[in-house]
Amino acid sequence: MTFKSLGLSEPFLKAVAEKGYTTPSPIQQKAIPHILEGKDVLASAQTGTGKTAGFTLPVLQYLTNTKHPKYRPLRALVLTPTRELAAQVYENIREYSKYVNIKSTVVFGGVKAAAQIKTLKQGVDILVATPGRLLDLHDQKAVSFKRIDVLILDEADRMLDMGFVRDINKIISYMPTKRQNLLFSATFSKDIKKLANGILNNPVAVETAPQNSTAKKVTHKVYKVDKKRKTEFTIQLIKDNHWSQVLVFTRTKHGANKLTEKLIKANISAAAIHGNKSQGARTKALKNFKDNTIKILVATDIAARGLDIPLLPHVINYELPNIPEDYVHRIGRTGRAGAAGEAISLVCSEETEYQKEIEKVLNEKLKTSIIEGFEPQDTAPPKRAASQSKGSFGKKKKASNSNSSQGNKPKRKPHFKGKKPTNTSGLGRTGAPKKKRY
């Protein structure tokens, strides 16, 4: 099968050829014809399968064939969960639309909005955006959704994880009810199907890989390592194997910063990428990593979502994710487009349950080794994976009446002089947590 046989026109065939692609991937073969026909599509595909081109190419062709003769109302919107993914999708759109008269731009948080507003007012055909910044711009009347013909939700599962459902529904409420809807996700979970039922109209379901499967050419290795010696082990792995490009995952932003500092002290070039970093710092770190200016990129799960790093050979799980499905997303950075890749996990005693849950999701046993000199010495009890602990959230332990038996005095109630303070916010004692917008 060729890209031409899918129904794509000459300008897009030329752009695809210049990127070096000759044969469409399975997700492209299945999705592009349906999208060109104007059907709603619910697509599931693992990362690195070409899904971005799977919706970008047919949508651009539709916009080209139906362009308004006088002005450029916004007619296609791509929503993504993170800044990095938004930037990557926008770059793809620019590359594939180089031979047609289509204007596009990208908007996300972390940078000043003035330049984004100026570009939007000049008119764009297709916009890539993160939900938070997009709503801000809409509130400022810098963008209108009244002429949207096509809505694309990319990495919809991650948008659910990050709590963007309310923002998505609000954005959709400003759009025409008659439009084409495309939803792309790594998995077809119950929550995704529920979201799809509220947005898509008689969708065609497209799936190119079993749910939660990983790329076939990725090899998995687990090293049982003492928690306090993970950094030392990571440094030895990188130096002994002379690795020059490694993506390392930590669970927390603080952990990413700490590991990066120690790698640099060991004379290994490294940078961290996470939500607390400015957009400029994140963009610079990713560029330096792709250019091999730095060897190691240390990232949290959210920051790494959507990163497109061609031929990445190694991924290290410095800490296992507590949500087993996130393991699939992490190692999806390597083994892309048929290339070989290696996923290495460092597991201490308290992470054994995380490993078991990941093995259940993958339906395979991960090869596990212990390296002499780094044997686990910690005796912390295993932590429970998120999938196991569901249902216990929010349950309170019954109050104990053992204070008197231990000779402890019961806590005194606070005494207020004068008028008792009141809370008028309606948010409880501490107020609702602020939602971080990406």
Side-chain angles (χ1 to χ4, degrees):
M1 182 174 285
T2 64
F3 282 99
K4 187 174 182 179
S5 67
L6 296 178
L8 295 174
S9 57
E10 191 58 39
F12 303 106
L13 295 176
K14 186 177 179 181
V16 167
E18 285 187 2
K19 283 182 67 71
Y21 302 134
T22 56
T23 305
S25 68
I27 187 66
Q28 293 162 359
Q29 293 177 25
K30 293 184 178 182
I32 289 175
H34 293 303
I35 297 173
L36 286 174
E37 290 174 4
K39 296 178 181 177
D40 283 13
V41 172
L42 173 61
S44 173
Q46 66 187 63
T47 54
T49 57
K51 63 183 175 63
T52 303
F55 64 76
T56 298
L57 288 166
V59 169
L60 286 172
Q61 180 159 310
Y62 164 75
L63 294 175
T64 303
N65 294 340
T66 59
K67 194 172 64 173
H68 196 281
K70 293 183 179 180
Y71 64 99
R72 293 180 186 272
L74 177 62
R75 295 195 296 133
L77 173 65
V78 185
L79 288 178
T80 71
T82 66
R83 305 167 190 175
E84 282 72 27
L85 181 57
Q88 183 60 46
V89 171
Y90 171 59
E91 185 60 28
N92 274 264
I93 288 173
R94 287 183 63 232
E95 291 172 344
Y96 290 129
S97 62
K98 64 191 297 185
Y99 296 113
V100 292
N101 184 17
I102 290 291
K103 286 191 177 182
S104 59
T105 193
V106 59
V107 298
F108 46 67
V111 295
K112 292 182 179 179
Q116 297 176 351
I117 292 172
K118 183 179 179 181
T119 301
L120 288 169
K121 286 185 175 179
Q122 292 172 352
V124 295
D125 300 289
I126 180 168
L127 173 66
V128 187
T130 52
R133 173 53 61 92
L134 185 62
L135 279 175
D136 287 343
L137 293 173
H138 185 269
D139 291 344
Q140 295 179 57
K141 302 190 184 307
V143 62
S144 171
F145 306 138
K146 293 180 180 179
R147 293 290 304 274
I148 294 288
D149 289 334
V150 188
L151 170 65
I152 304 106
L153 300 183
D154 194 16
E155 302 276 13
D157 50 335
R158 179 56 66 180
M159 282 200 271
L160 291 182
D161 292 343
M162 293 172 65
F164 282 131
V165 173
R166 185 174 293 181
D167 285 351
I168 292 170
N169 288 332
K170 193 171 183 180
I171 290 167
I172 289 174
S173 71
Y174 298 126
M175 295 183 185
T177 53
K178 188 177 180 181
R179 63 178 187 273
Q180 184 179 18
N181 304 285
L182 313 174
L183 190 153
F184 283 74
S185 170
T187 62
F188 278 165
S189 66
K190 290 181 180 178
D191 289 336
I192 285 295
K193 289 177 180 177
K194 182 179 178 182
L195 177 67
N197 287 338
I199 297 174
L200 307 183
N201 181 31
N202 296 322
V204 176
V206 174
E207 190 172 3
T208 59
Q211 292 183 37
N212 298 321
S213 68
T214 59
K216 291 180 180 179
K217 291 195 175 184
V218 175
T219 57
H220 307 259
K221 291 181 182 177
V222 172
Y223 291 108
K224 295 287 187 181
V225 181
D226 186 75
K227 185 177 183 179
K228 294 180 180 179
R229 303 194 66 193
K230 281 190 176 186
T231 301
E232 182 185 350
F233 186 76
T234 301
I235 291 170
Q236 183 171 310
L237 264 180
I238 294 166
K239 286 188 171 182
D240 288 355
N241 291 286
H242 305 289
W243 288 342
S244 59
Q245 196 177 42
V246 186
L247 179 60
V248 183
F249 282 97
T250 61
R251 276 203 297 270
T252 67
K253 302 167 189 175
H254 173 72
N257 288 337
K258 191 174 178 182
L259 177 58
T260 301
E261 290 171 6
K262 290 184 177 181
L263 288 169
I264 293 171
K265 284 181 181 179
N267 294 317
I268 298 173
S269 55
I273 180 171
H274 54 67
N276 281 358
K277 294 282 186 180
S278 69
Q279 185 56 40
R282 289 162 70 164
T283 302
K284 182 180 178 182
L286 181 58
K287 181 181 182 299
N288 289 343
F289 185 62
K290 286 184 174 182
D291 294 344
N292 288 312
T293 307
I294 59 171
K295 291 183 177 181
I296 314 300
L297 187 66
V298 185
T300 54
D301 288 295
I302 289 176
R305 188 70 168 197
L307 294 185
D308 186 15
I309 306 163
L311 304 177
L312 176 65
H314 310 285
V315 168
I316 294 178
N317 294 296
Y318 183 83
E319 297 161 315
L320 287 183
N322 62 346
I323 300 173
E325 288 79 8
D326 280 348
Y327 178 86
V328 178
H329 298 310
R330 285 183 178 189
I331 69 170
R333 305 300 110 205
T334 187
R336 286 179 165 228
E342 186 176 36
I344 294 170
S345 300
L346 312 185
V347 180
C348 63
S349 297
E350 64 184 45
E351 294 175 298
T352 53
E353 286 300 319
Y354 293 167
Q355 181 180 343
K356 289 178 182 177
E357 289 300 306
I358 288 167
E359 289 172 339
K360 286 180 183 177
V361 167
L362 298 178
N363 196 27
E364 67 174 286
K365 199 81 172 173
L366 299 179
K367 183 181 178 182
T368 303
S369 305
I370 296 177
I371 303 300
E372 187 176 350
F374 291 93
E375 299 89 344
Q377 302 296 323
D378 47 325
T379 56
K383 291 183 179 180
R384 300 179 73 187
S387 60
Q388 289 182 307
S389 57
K390 286 179 180 178
S392 62
F393 179 77
K395 289 183 180 179
K396 297 182 179 178
K397 292 183 179 179
K398 291 183 179 180
S400 171
N401 295 321
S402 60
N403 282 344
S404 58
S405 64
Q406 295 176 0
N408 295 330
K409 293 181 180 181
K411 291 182 179 179
R412 294 176 61 188
K413 292 183 178 179
H415 177 70
F416 300 99
K417 289 184 180 181
K419 189 176 179 181
K420 187 176 180 180
T422 58
N423 184 334
T424 58
S425 68
L427 299 175
R429 185 163 57 93
T430 59
K434 289 184 178 180
K435 180 175 178 182
K436 187 163 187 178
R437 289 191 162 182
Y438 283 80

